[in-house]
Amino acid sequence: MELYIVLAITLFMVVSFIFQKVPFGVTTMACCALMVLTGVMTVPEAFSGFCNQTVVLIAPMLALSAALTKTSLVAKIRSAMDLMKGKRGFLLILFFYIIGAAFVQFIPATATISILIVFLSTLGNTGEITPKRLLLPLLGILCIWKSKLPIGMGATIFARYNALYEGIIPNEEYALQMLDPFFFSLVPVAVLTLYCLFAWRLLPKGDDQEIDRSALKSVKETAAMPHNQEMLVYIVFIAVMLVLVLNKWTGSLMYVAPAVGVLVLIYAKVLNVQEAVQKMTSDMIWMIAGVLAVADALGSSGAGELIGSTILGLLGSNPHPLFVAFLFSAVTVIMTTFISNTATMNVLTPVAASVALAGGWDPRGLVLIIAVGNTLALGFPSGAAECAVCYAAGNYNPAKVLKFTLPYIILGISSMALTAYFMYPVY
């Protein structure tokens, strides 16, 4: 009976993630409550995710990243972009891409695209490089570069991925390490960056209609931070990054380093307590804590193994590893094109882990495919908030830009599948 209850709760979570009528965190907390009410888990078991080391690592990192965005770093990059307004040619394109890739490591992609659209709109509609020709490729850069470098939130993203399947496959041998997502993404990032550098010519130059700035969300300007406080933010951030990067030697200190950094900034009155608490209790934290409990229930009840065995049966008794990699790559990218990135990752990661468990496979390649592929929501406005902003601002018709987006999607699927096949073959 417990197995069927867990399957029903998991189905409820999946459907809620897809339709997203309520925030993800609310959905997972509802799942935790349902497991307690049905007797599947005790209260401490169902809500143990809040004490998990993954949450301890990620929650304060959100607050630390928020402090970094309040420094003059963003303003300096904006100033550099302003100097490039009059430039043309490959250098201008490269500059926009570099700035976009840098921004999206620290601030949300929606805010990044909103900032960059303002500068793109100053290019004018004459010549080879026009705003409408560059906006969609720029979105492609943001999609593939989002949190890919092991800095900022990208330094903790491996822990978030582990949280989605560690209850299903508790074998520590199959847990991702900090740099695994970075190394895995090198080939897809390189392939799609090169594509965007040259394939922008596939897009129409546009007509006399300028980019629609009304599609933008307002980007708030932050007050200048005193120099001594700004330097302290940089020092704390660099120190935390070093502890994370050197985790082979720092060990479990990695999980408390962001919290220590936030405490230092709070005591130094650089970071407001209310702001820190708001970031550390965000919907993402609720979601991760709840998913941990659901994953544990899937593993302990045998429901995860049942799901995996069913899908494994559909794949066949001995599917080729490359076929498996291509299948999960294609499903991930197609799914994330129409529903949110987070929903895609939350739904597919436990499924991939369950299939790996049933087949006795290494799950890391499949999990990393989903981790990278869930951001490639380029082909349709509904894939992510930044996609909606881009399509609205550029007045793009999804069907008419397929000659750019379709090769991007195919290259993304192929590069991820081949990387997984060679780096983390399922068996």
Side-chain angles (χ1 to χ4, degrees):
M1 186 62 181
E2 179 180 306
L3 184 148
Y4 297 107
I5 292 173
V6 172
L7 283 175
I9 291 174
T10 303
L11 179 62
F12 163 74
M13 183 180 74
V14 169
V15 172
S16 297
F17 279 163
I18 291 173
F19 289 99
Q20 203 176 347
K21 296 297 184 182
V22 295
F24 295 118
V26 174
T27 293
T28 58
M29 288 299 101
C31 292
C32 292
L34 285 171
M35 285 189 289
V36 173
L37 292 173
T38 55
V40 173
M41 284 184 161
T42 64
V43 172
E45 288 172 340
F47 295 93
S48 61
F50 287 104
C51 300
N52 187 277
Q53 61 185 15
T54 298
V55 174
V56 174
L57 172 68
I58 293 176
M61 197 66 209
L62 291 171
L64 196 60
S65 296
L68 187 67
T69 61
K70 292 168 64 177
T71 67
S72 63
L73 181 64
V74 174
K76 288 176 181 176
I77 295 177
R78 285 187 192 173
S79 298
M81 288 177 60
D82 200 27
L83 294 175
M84 294 293 295
K85 282 182 181 179
K87 303 292 183 183
R88 290 293 185 271
F90 182 78
L91 180 63
L92 176 64
I93 296 171
L94 185 62
F95 183 79
F96 269 107
Y97 288 178
I98 290 173
I99 295 303
F103 264 48
V104 84
Q105 305 307 316
F106 303 104
I107 62 178
T110 309
T112 299
I113 198 73
S114 299
I115 293 169
L116 295 178
I117 284 174
V118 173
F119 291 94
L120 274 177
S121 64
T122 65
L123 294 179
N125 292 311
T126 59
E128 286 296 308
I129 302 175
T130 62
K132 290 191 71 169
R133 259 189 161 181
L134 209 53
L135 178 56
L136 194 58
L138 187 57
L139 174 65
I141 292 293
L142 301 189
C143 287
I144 191 57
W145 278 91
K146 185 190 300 183
S147 298
K148 293 302 187 297
L149 297 180
I151 55 177
M153 285 305 299
T156 63
I157 203 107
F158 77 101
R160 183 180 175 189
Y161 301 150
N162 283 336
L164 294 174
Y165 74 97
E166 65 180 23
I168 300 170
I169 303 180
N171 189 341
E172 292 186 3
E173 179 186 351
Y174 292 141
L176 298 176
Q177 303 302 311
M178 178 186 170
L179 295 178
D180 284 346
F182 169 70
F183 287 127
F184 180 88
S185 64
L186 285 177
V187 172
V189 165
V191 168
L192 292 179
T193 299
L194 286 172
Y195 175 76
C196 291
L197 274 172
F198 298 101
W200 56 271
R201 295 178 183 274
L202 296 174
L203 292 166
K205 293 181 182 179
D207 45 32
D208 294 333
Q209 182 182 8
E210 296 182 353
I211 285 180
D212 183 7
R213 293 197 189 190
S214 66
L216 304 181
K217 292 183 178 180
S218 60
V219 180
K220 295 181 180 179
E221 297 286 343
T222 55
M225 182 182 289
H227 178 71
N228 61 330
Q229 291 188 350
E230 185 170 317
M231 292 306 298
L232 180 61
V233 171
Y234 293 145
I235 291 169
V236 168
F237 188 81
I238 291 171
V240 170
M241 289 300 103
L242 285 174
V243 174
L244 294 177
V245 171
L246 301 175
N247 64 86
K248 182 178 179 180
W249 296 276
T250 56
S252 60
L253 288 176
M254 171 181 71
Y255 293 97
V256 297
V260 172
V262 169
L263 288 171
V264 169
L265 295 182
I266 288 175
Y267 276 109
K269 299 189 183 303
V270 175
L271 190 62
N272 183 282
V273 173
Q274 184 178 1
E275 183 181 10
V277 170
Q278 183 181 18
K279 293 293 181 182
M280 291 192 292
T281 56
S282 66
D283 182 67
M284 180 192 291
I285 301 305
W286 282 35
M287 185 270 293
I288 294 174
V291 165
L292 283 165
V294 175
D296 284 341
L298 281 169
S300 60
S301 68
E305 190 171 355
L306 177 62
I307 294 171
S309 298
T310 303
I311 296 175
L312 191 62
L314 297 174
L315 289 173
S317 58
N318 191 31
H320 194 281
L322 188 56
F323 170 72
V324 175
F326 265 104
L327 177 65
F328 274 92
S329 296
V331 169
T332 300
V333 175
I334 292 170
M335 189 169 170
T336 198
T337 299
F338 299 102
I339 67 172
S340 82
N341 303 348
T342 307
T344 300
M345 185 173 66
N346 292 346
V347 169
L348 290 183
T349 302
V351 171
S354 298
V355 172
L357 177 66
W361 299 345
D362 183 341
R364 292 176 294 176
L366 301 182
V367 170
L368 287 168
I369 282 172
I370 297 165
V372 174
N374 85 87
T375 65
L376 303 184
L378 184 78
F380 207 73
S382 62
E386 56 269 23
C387 296
V389 171
C390 177
Y391 273 82
N395 194 27
Y396 292 117
N397 181 324
K400 291 183 178 180
V401 295
L402 266 179
K403 59 184 177 181
F404 174 83
T405 58
L406 187 58
Y408 180 99
I409 288 170
I410 292 172
L411 286 170
I413 291 172
S414 302
S415 58
M416 289 189 303
L418 290 170
T419 301
Y421 176 68
F422 287 108
M423 287 186 67
Y424 300 100
V426 291
Y427 55 82

